[in-house]
Amino acid sequence: MSSNDILGSHRSPGGTAPVVLDIETGLQELIARGYQFVHPADERGEVLAVVGVRVHDDLVDVVRLNAEDDVVALRMPGSEENILDPETWLWRSEGEAAKVLAEVLALPDQQDLAGTHAKGCWVPGRGGTSKWLAAR
């Protein structure tokens, strides 16, 4: 398996072995599940990472791709103020894209949490601006 492959949450017929997906397919699956992507940049406009965010129910899921071998994914409560550097998280994975994207795709949509449903979250953007990502 190359570094561009991920083991997805999909199972082969009979459910015995994971189906191998490429990273592009994994990202498309995240988009299909409601992830919205932003691209934080430095002061020169150089993209620092590709960040996917999904706000659902009372949760925020974040996948930050810095490089193929440097991916961080988090699930946090919808009340978390800084989703790129949260104080509280419920689940976390980091490492190569193959491993992390497979784990994200395998996460259940719901998690038992007491609280209100998140309506969205602010994601830091270029030049000190922020972008509101509404829950889907």
Side-chain angles (χ1 to χ4, degrees):
M1 179 169 55
S2 77
S3 63
N4 285 332
D5 295 334
I6 65 171
L7 299 175
S9 60
H10 306 293
R11 296 277 175 191
S12 63
T16 56
V19 174
V20 177
L21 302 171
D22 61 69
I23 290 174
E24 181 179 338
T25 303
L27 292 174
Q28 289 172 348
E29 180 66 24
L30 291 179
I31 291 169
R33 293 183 184 192
Y35 280 78
Q36 298 177 59
F37 285 83
V38 295
H39 309 91
D42 64 16
E43 59 280 347
R44 296 182 318 240
E46 298 287 327
V47 174
L48 301 172
V50 174
V51 180
V53 179
R54 180 173 82 144
V55 181
H56 57 106
D57 300 316
D58 53 356
L59 302 170
V60 177
D61 294 334
V62 176
V63 177
R64 181 181 175 118
L65 295 101
N66 300 308
E68 278 186 42
D69 62 349
D70 183 10
V71 178
V72 178
L74 300 145
R75 173 168 279 180
M76 64 199 80
S79 60
E80 185 62 45
E81 290 187 26
N82 184 350
I83 65 167
L84 295 181
D85 188 21
E87 290 183 19
T88 303
W89 44 268
L90 306 166
W91 173 89
R92 179 182 168 94
S93 180
E94 61 183 284
E96 293 189 16
K99 171 185 150 311
V100 175
L101 290 177
E103 291 173 355
V104 169
L105 291 171
L107 279 175
D109 277 343
Q110 302 296 322
Q111 183 148 349
D112 292 330
L113 288 177
T116 61
H117 295 295
K119 305 281 190 262
C121 66
W122 288 99
V123 178
R126 294 181 177 155
T129 64
S130 294
K131 178 178 181 178
W132 176 256
L133 295 181
R136 289 188 171 198

